[in-house]
Amino acid sequence: MKVGIIGSGYVGLVAAACFAEMGNKVICVDVDENKIKSLKEGKVPIYEPGIEQLVLDNQKKGTLHFTTNIKDALDEVKVVFIAVGTPMGDDGSADLKFVLQVAKDIGNQMSHHLVVVDKSTVPVGTADLVEETIQNALSQRNSNLTFDVVSNPEFLKEGAAIDDFMRPDRVVVGASNEDSMSLMKELYDPFTFNQDRFIGMDIRSAEMTKYAANAMLATKISFINEMANICEHVGADINEVRIGIGSDKRIGYQFIYPGCGYGGSCFPKDVKALVNIAEGSGYTPQLIKSVEKVNSDQKNILFKKLVSRFGADLKGKTFAVWGLSFKPGTDDMREAPSINLIKSILSAGGKVNAYDPKATEQAKYYLQDLEVHYCSDKYEAIQNTEAVVLVTEWKEFRSPDFEKMKELMNQNILIDGRNQFSEEQINKHGFEYFQIGVK
């Protein structure tokens, strides 16, 4: 099938590469000329395991093309995906200006019947706005061309996006007629041999499903962090409590790991957007608002532990920060807890040595104008420091050389923002150890 993808960001590029890998002819368009030039040269602007090779392979096979001309992406295709950004507005709502601009461009440039798919994460009712925008553009052309708008939210985990797309837990599609639904089933057939994984529904329910899924996962994270904070106050150990509740099949172990808060491009933005959607419809989502508040507070938990150990004045002290991205497996710094920690240390007069296997360049952008010393490896980062704070649980931090650490650090203090180490492991090497949810 010939497929158009408008937007070559994280979602668009992954979708384009994976559809092309299954033999479809895909053309991906973006207004950023430098980005398209780099992609044509095989230079992928994001870090995501496996994406670069897929892009290179499918360009060589001729199944994946890149352009800045939206008309090229619309010619002869049956289906076109809108996969542009929906940044968070000042009021927490999703900003649809890019989505609606693309819709207008589609209306101005389309030359035959199209199925237009909202792949971007958009509020409930966006499909109606997209339909209205395209129709207005067609009317101004005095065109009687037809089109259908479909919702197909993405459920990709950064760091595992290729696998998620190729072997999805589910493919959710919202459509208003059987023809559009059948076309989407055909497109996704190679990814859903088990047809139970293709879930068809009405458009508004599909739009809502994305927000409900992310809100549920964010709720589990904030819940376990709330439990961790209670554990610290009452003298319980959240690591043991987690095992106790996770063994219940109704609860499970996924997303109940205590830590320093969630970040990234999805959970923070989508939780706030869902609050805005609910309040805009006249309902106050008390639980979801609490989820956001707990997470916002949790991002300060590591700095609070530093202050409890070293005092509020950190002048003359240097601290190592291990891990900068919001999670391992990505270079994404959006809403990363490391940002809160580093800014707080610097504001208190301290200095920061920072190391991340992949996110250093992104960190320099998000922490620009701040005096952060970026290091080339984890041991360089801890030289002459008072403590090391583990923020992101990259694999290379799991089994460090503790004896080497003792030689390099001024004090043997480890603050673990992801509860990665066992107390036995730490005590064996004589480190003073602070965890989340353990007094």
Side-chain angles (χ1 to χ4, degrees):
M1 189 182 299
K2 293 182 178 179
V3 178
I5 308 279
I6 302 177
S8 64
Y10 186 85
V11 174
L13 190 58
V14 170
C18 291
F19 280 136
E21 180 70 7
M22 290 301 183
N24 299 289
K25 184 176 181 180
V26 180
I27 184 159
C28 186
V29 61
D30 199 292
V31 295
D32 189 330
E33 294 184 0
N34 290 329
K35 182 186 287 188
I36 293 299
K37 182 176 182 292
S38 294
L39 285 167
K40 286 181 176 180
E41 295 171 352
K43 301 174 184 176
V44 176
I46 60 172
Y47 173 74
E48 177 63 38
I51 185 66
E52 185 169 350
Q53 196 59 50
L54 273 186
V55 170
L56 288 170
D57 290 348
N58 283 285
Q59 282 195 95
K60 289 179 181 178
K61 289 188 290 187
T63 54
L64 179 58
H65 303 271
F66 295 99
T67 182
T68 57
N69 188 344
I70 191 171
K71 193 174 186 305
D72 292 342
L74 300 179
D75 285 347
E76 300 183 19
V77 303
K78 289 185 177 182
V79 57
V80 58
F81 287 79
I82 300 177
V84 293
T86 53
M88 185 169 60
D90 293 336
D91 61 354
S93 63
D95 189 339
L96 298 177
K97 63 184 177 184
F98 299 123
V99 171
L100 296 182
Q101 181 59 55
V102 169
K104 183 178 179 180
D105 292 341
I106 290 173
N108 287 332
Q109 298 290 341
M110 62 185 290
S111 58
H112 58 280
H113 179 82
L114 285 175
V115 172
V116 180
V117 184
D118 284 334
K119 194 69 173 172
S120 303
T121 300
V122 293
V124 177
T126 298
D128 295 338
L129 296 176
V130 169
E131 181 178 354
E132 179 183 349
T133 302
I134 296 174
Q135 188 57 59
N136 286 342
L138 289 172
S139 297
Q140 290 179 4
R141 294 170 53 192
N142 295 318
S143 171
N144 59 0
L145 288 172
T146 60
F147 64 96
D148 295 313
V149 177
V150 168
S151 175
N152 174 216
E154 56 85 13
F155 299 97
L156 306 177
K157 299 187 296 291
E158 292 191 49
I162 301 300
D163 189 62
D164 285 346
F165 202 102
M166 291 294 197
R167 287 172 285 276
D169 292 330
R170 77 287 207 197
V171 173
V172 172
V173 173
S176 58
N177 62 70
E178 188 56 39
D179 289 342
S180 296
M181 190 68 80
S182 295
L183 183 67
M184 295 299 288
K185 284 182 179 178
E186 179 185 347
L187 180 61
Y188 276 108
D189 269 347
F191 306 93
T192 57
F193 290 115
N194 177 355
Q195 292 303 310
D196 288 341
R197 289 183 289 165
F198 186 98
I199 305 172
M201 59 183 70
D202 67 87
I203 292 173
R204 287 188 171 232
S205 295
E207 291 172 331
M208 185 63 186
T209 297
K210 169 66 175 182
Y211 285 102
N214 280 350
M216 181 69 241
L217 297 175
T219 298
K220 293 187 74 173
I221 294 172
S222 282
F223 171 82
I224 199 65
N225 284 334
E226 185 95 285
M227 293 301 104
N229 294 335
I230 295 173
C231 283
E232 286 197 30
H233 282 80
V234 302
D237 185 333
I238 189 60
N239 299 310
E240 296 182 1
V241 172
R242 184 187 69 82
I243 295 171
I245 66 174
S247 58
D248 186 328
K249 293 180 180 179
R250 297 170 300 174
I251 299 173
Y253 291 106
Q254 288 189 318
F255 284 84
I256 60 166
Y257 289 88
C260 48
Y262 60 74
S265 63
C266 292
F267 289 3
K269 178 170 70 74
D270 292 353
V271 168
K272 291 176 183 176
L274 184 56
V275 170
N276 184 273
I277 291 167
E279 292 183 337
S281 68
Y283 178 77
T284 301
Q286 297 182 31
L287 175 60
I288 305 304
K289 292 180 76 170
S290 296
V291 167
E292 180 189 355
K293 177 64 166 61
V294 168
N295 189 65
S296 178
D297 292 345
Q298 197 69 12
K299 288 185 177 181
N300 298 317
I301 196 71
L302 294 178
F303 180 67
K304 289 180 178 179
K305 289 184 179 294
L306 275 180
V307 170
S308 69
R309 176 59 178 79
F310 294 98
D313 185 359
L314 302 181
K315 290 178 182 177
K317 297 180 176 65
T318 302
F319 301 93
V321 174
W322 277 1
L324 298 170
S325 58
F326 86 93
K327 62 179 281 189
T330 180
D331 63 352
D332 196 340
M333 284 290 299
R334 285 172 286 187
E335 301 279 347
S338 63
I339 295 174
N340 298 59
L341 173 64
I342 290 172
K343 287 182 176 180
S344 295
I345 292 174
L346 296 178
S347 294
K351 295 182 179 180
V352 173
N353 292 348
Y355 168 69
D356 188 284
K358 297 294 181 182
T360 297
E361 292 307 312
Q362 287 294 313
K364 289 178 180 178
Y365 171 78
Y366 281 90
L367 296 168
Q368 55 187 296
D369 300 326
L370 296 180
E371 292 187 20
V372 178
H373 177 60
Y374 296 97
C375 302
S376 58
D377 64 63
K378 59 180 179 285
Y379 296 116
E380 179 190 348
I382 64 174
Q383 289 186 33
N384 300 315
T385 58
E386 307 305 317
V388 56
V389 186
L390 189 148
V391 182
T392 313
E393 65 276 31
W394 287 92
K395 290 181 180 178
E396 70 170 85
F397 299 141
R398 291 182 181 176
S399 298
D401 186 334
F402 287 104
E403 294 306 310
K404 182 175 182 178
M405 291 173 65
K406 289 165 66 175
E407 294 174 4
L408 295 172
M409 299 174 67
N410 293 339
Q411 299 188 63
N412 303 326
I413 300 174
L414 174 57
I415 299 176
D416 187 352
R418 299 297 178 181
N419 290 13
Q420 181 167 284
F421 304 106
S422 67
E423 288 195 45
E424 292 79 13
Q425 183 183 19
I426 296 297
N427 292 336
K428 177 182 177 182
H429 296 281
F431 271 74
E432 191 176 345
Y433 185 46
F434 298 86
Q435 299 182 73
I436 306 294
V438 180
K439 191 172 179 68

